[in-house]
Amino acid sequence: MADVTRVGDPHDPRLADFRDLTTADRRPDRPGGKGLVIAEGVVVVRRLLASPYPVRALLGVERRIAELDAEVDSAVPAYVTSAEVMAEVVGFHLNRGVLAVADRAKPWTLDDLTAGSRRLAVLEGVGDHENLGSLFRNAAALGVDGIVLGPGCSDPLYRRSVRVSMGHVLAVPFTTATDWPGALESLRDKGFQVLALTPRADAVALNEVRVDGPVAVLLGSEGPGLTDEAIKAADHAVRIPMAGGVDSLNVATAGAIAFHSLGAG
Amino acid sequence: MADVTRVGDPHDPRLADFRDLTTADRRPDRPGGKGLVIAEGVVVVRRLLASPYPVRALLGVERRIAELDAEVDSAVPAYVTSAEVMAEVVGFHLNRGVLAVADRAKPWTLDDLTAGSRRLAVLEGVGDHENLGSLFRNAAALGVDGIVLGPGCSDPLYRRSVRVSMGHVLAVPFTTATDWPGALESLRDKGFQVLALTPRADAVALNEVRVDGPVAVLLGSEGPGLTDEAIKAADHAVRIPMAGGVDSLNVATAGAIAFHSLGAG
């Protein structure tokens, strides 16, 4: 049961975590950044409550807080207010009626991520927050055990990624590669077969690939694709057979096809 | 070579087609609707020029019109102006620098669509313009020959769908089913195996399905999914194996997985 408090004043200092949400999710070293993890809507707040991220507080309209009440620890304050006060505090109109903020948790390491994992995704240059969020959603749905973020990837804990992922960035473990493409060699050393997904004509068609051990799928951004050095550090280059004249699929969609295809093998 | 004309006055009557673009794509029977097909940006305009839709005119900044010049028929006027005048005419700021408008073309019939087709997608209740656009993009990339729109689907020629599809709604033939679920029976009569994609536990896993003839994949919207009557009218219910606790994939992503999986068989 949450510790529910009614708040009527948008300037109430207890609501400080919820102010200016458009920048509060930035890392503390960025302008306006507080490094907070922000969940919006009942479904995503529920995933945050079930995640390893330490929840600081909830803010919502009465009905939404009531829906979540049983799942909230008694040490976590839940502030009930009106939709109007919420909008004034956060800086824009929210149509989901509830928010929760959490602190960042200790990041996973590559060793944490690989221990016991059978399937990983490795991303290079995925800077778009929506694509990143969609990739986490697809990874969660299709049984990917963890995600390694290579150079050029955005922060998956940004509010928009959390929202587009439907909260699955809070559930799928991830780590940032500190060595590149060294992280790919580390994965191979740990027994992962690394498959680089690329539209190159000389790549093997995805449906002809059979894996029977741990596998890591390497995905690049839509425009430039994977770097040559990343492709070289993989075991194989694989491609999704495409119809003539079509440039490419969205990276999250390509990832979903690969996760399904390799999981089903 | 286009018939290029410079225009400086945002009130020039020759630019009438480009006014109030936020409503001009609506069907003529809707408020503000002109029933126009609108393409934004060089890539999508190029697809419009290669499509069966009769292009009425182009409007763009000099550099973008020059890029497209060689592909434009001499009977089509191309108006060159500044970014500021463009914004004033269309009613919002455009960052792609070029637009084209076309008339709607004679719609395909179900007979047109099935003739010579091996793979179709059939949609029920896909009302979201972005999902619809993404479905067309994925269908084009993965070799789907045509799309049948069942009840509850949006108009794929709306501007947002055209844009999200990257212009592929202009290339993939589609038709609206007039009889439902009768259209599914018609497809079966024409020799198509109709597979209904659903998360139901008693459905066959997609990777266990083997098809060796024409196939139609039936997809429903994310929330409510397919209606019972649609599933009953299909040959088989098939499912994408999902990890526990994850509700569902985006409909365009689920479609992409199915198109790839069935195409690769």
Side-chain angles (χ1 to χ4, degrees), chain A residues 43 47 137-138 140-143 166 168 206-207 222 240-243 245-250 252-253 256-257 260-261 264, chain B residues 43 47 137-138 140-143 166 168 206-207 222 240-243 245-250 252-253 256-257 260-261 264:
Chain A
V43 170
R47 294 211 167 102
R137 179 183 176 187
N138 296 345
L142 298 164
M166 299 182 72
H168 291 298
L206 182 60
N207 52 302
E222 247 166 276
I240 295 172
M242 301 254 204
V246 179
D247 18 26
S248 74
L249 290 162
N250 169 283
T253 305
I257 290 173
H260 173 264
S261 183
Chain B
V43 170
R47 294 212 167 101
R137 179 183 176 188
N138 295 345
L142 297 164
M166 299 183 73
H168 291 297
L206 181 60
N207 51 303
E222 247 166 277
I240 295 171
M242 301 254 204
V246 179
D247 20 24
S248 74
L249 289 161
N250 169 283
T253 305
I257 290 173
H260 172 264
S261 183

Side-chain angles (χ1 to χ4, degrees), chain B residues 144-162:
Chain B
V144 170
D145 301 308
I147 294 182
V148 181
L149 304 168
C153 292
S154 296
D155 179 1
L157 294 177
Y158 263 40
R159 191 166 62 92
R160 196 190 297 176
S161 293
V162 174

Side-chain angles (χ1 to χ4, degrees), chain B residues 167-221:
Chain B
H168 291 297
V169 300
L170 307 170
V172 178
F174 64 89
T175 191
T176 299
T178 48
D179 183 19
W180 191 262
L184 301 175
E185 282 147 40
S186 301
L187 287 172
R188 292 175 65 184
D189 289 346
K190 289 169 188 286
F192 281 80
Q193 190 174 2
V194 178
L195 302 179
L197 204 65
T198 163
R200 287 186 188 186
D202 62 350
V204 182
L206 181 60
N207 51 303
E208 289 166 14
V209 175
R210 287 290 167 267
V211 291
D212 56 6
V215 62
V217 182
L218 176 58
L219 297 155
S221 73

Side-chain angles (χ1 to χ4, degrees), chain A residues 20-245:
Chain A
D20 304 320
L21 279 194
T22 52
T23 53
D25 52 346
R26 291 187 195 160
R27 290 188 184 128
D29 55 329
R30 309 282 168 85
K34 298 181 196 167
L36 295 176
V37 179
I38 299 160
E40 299 163 86
V42 169
V43 170
V44 180
V45 170
R46 193 164 272 152
R47 294 211 167 102
L48 179 65
L49 292 167
S51 80
Y53 298 91
V55 180
R56 295 166 62 98
L58 277 72
L59 172 67
V61 298
E62 180 148 27
R63 195 169 133 228
R64 298 300 172 212
I65 294 290
E67 266 185 84
L68 291 158
D69 194 19
E71 296 158 64
V72 183
D73 190 279
S74 61
V76 173
Y79 301 106
V80 167
T81 190
S82 66
E84 293 69 31
V85 170
M86 275 185 83
E88 194 169 338
V89 173
V90 304
F92 53 90
H93 181 73
L94 274 162
N95 54 14
R96 293 169 194 242
V98 65
L99 285 168
V101 290
D103 288 314
R104 290 180 178 236
K106 184 169 164 284
W108 286 270
T109 64
L110 194 60
D111 283 343
D112 297 336
L113 220 64
T114 51
S117 288
R118 301 280 300 169
R119 283 196 295 154
L120 298 176
V122 186
L123 314 181
E124 188 190 45
V126 179
D128 181 275
H129 290 106
E130 296 198 8
N131 284 344
L132 197 57
S134 298
L135 271 163
F136 272 85
R137 179 183 176 187
N138 296 345
L142 298 164
V144 170
D145 301 307
I147 294 182
V148 181
L149 304 168
C153 292
S154 297
D155 178 1
L157 294 177
Y158 263 41
R159 192 166 62 94
R160 196 191 295 175
S161 294
V162 174
R163 187 177 62 223
V164 171
S165 82
M166 299 182 72
H168 291 298
V169 300
L170 308 171
V172 178
F174 64 89
T175 192
T176 300
T178 47
D179 182 20
W180 192 261
L184 301 175
E185 283 148 39
S186 301
L187 287 172
R188 292 175 65 184
D189 289 345
K190 289 169 189 288
F192 281 80
Q193 190 173 3
V194 178
L195 303 179
L197 204 65
T198 163
R200 288 186 188 187
D202 62 351
V204 182
L206 182 60
N207 52 302
E208 289 166 15
V209 175
R210 287 289 167 269
V211 291
D212 57 5
V215 64
V217 182
L218 177 57
L219 297 155
S221 73
E222 247 166 276
L226 291 169
T227 58
D228 285 340
E229 65 172 351
I231 294 177
K232 273 185 203 142
D235 290 287
H236 299 289
V238 298
R239 68 183 166 80
I240 295 172
M242 301 254 204

